[in-house]
Amino acid sequence: MTRELRNAFGAFPTGVVAVAALGRDGPIGIAASSFTPVSLDPPIVSVNFAHTSSTLPGLRRQPRWGVSVLAEDQHWLGRQLSGSGDRFTGVDWRATDAGAVLIDGAAAHFTVRVENFVTVGDHDIALLADANAVACFCPTTERDLADLLASRPVGEHLDEQGDLAQRGVGAQQSRGRGVQ
């Protein structure tokens, strides 16, 4: 893939979720910017994972996953979950009885089970069923939505290693304003 195509794909603004489950030695998780609601009835969401993900094999062994929509003040966690080593150091989390790991302070939580994987190009799309919202601290007014949209720097995205990166001239200083 060319750098130009990667940058064009990355121009679509998106949030970041933590996808995590409880393994034998503690939580297993990764940050993803490809979370998509698929269906309300039945409730299904999807998340895309690169074939090169070293975390996905551990997640695939777990029957239930937690999906936590990271809040504005958790931008550091997206970076940490994309790195190596103990990704959960300093992270407040809890596990459900079924082993789904949920990040404290997230904007929303879902517990899911893996329905299917679809291989497309260099990624696997995980179709996650029984997407039960455990809690949602979602914007409820136009002002809340405007604040949420304005909080994300223009050009912020996950790079090819899954790290949060900046793109574009002056991207760190630019901010969208959203709904006024």
Side-chain angles (χ1 to χ4, degrees):
M1 173 188 317
T2 68
R3 173 61 57 194
E4 186 174 334
L5 181 57
R6 178 182 300 283
N7 289 344
F9 282 170
F12 181 71
T14 183
V16 177
V17 297
V19 180
L22 195 57
R24 284 185 293 232
D25 299 323
I28 302 165
I30 191 167
S33 62
S34 59
F35 172 78
T36 305
V38 175
S39 172
L40 284 172
D41 188 19
I44 298 174
V45 298
S46 70
V47 178
N48 302 343
F49 298 93
H51 292 311
T52 57
S53 170
S54 60
T55 305
L56 184 56
L59 279 173
R60 286 183 89 146
R61 289 190 288 273
Q62 309 312 316
R64 300 292 292 191
W65 296 357
V67 177
S68 300
V69 179
L70 298 183
E72 175 186 355
D73 63 349
Q74 293 177 313
H75 58 88
W76 62 273
L77 187 51
R79 289 182 186 93
Q80 183 168 320
L81 289 174
S82 298
S84 58
D86 184 358
R87 296 177 179 183
F88 288 86
T89 296
V91 177
D92 293 326
W93 58 273
R94 59 191 163 88
T96 67
D97 290 341
V101 171
L102 304 171
I103 305 299
D104 291 347
H109 295 122
F110 301 90
T111 58
V112 298
R113 70 173 171 78
V114 177
E115 176 74 18
N116 195 12
F117 277 94
V118 179
T119 299
V120 179
D122 58 1
H123 278 69
D124 292 318
I125 302 170
L127 295 174
L128 307 171
D130 299 332
N132 296 310
V134 177
C136 183
F137 309 100
C138 304
T140 57
T141 67
E142 276 192 15
R143 182 73 253 155
D144 290 343
L145 181 59
D147 291 344
L148 180 65
L149 293 174
S151 69
R152 180 159 180 206
V154 173
E156 191 172 85
H157 69 288
L158 293 179
D159 67 14
E160 58 197 63
Q161 285 80 40
D163 296 326
L164 204 56
Q166 298 291 324
R167 174 180 47 260
V169 177
Q172 291 181 341
Q173 291 80 29
S174 300
R175 295 212 182 261
R177 289 307 314 154
V179 179
Q180 295 296 324

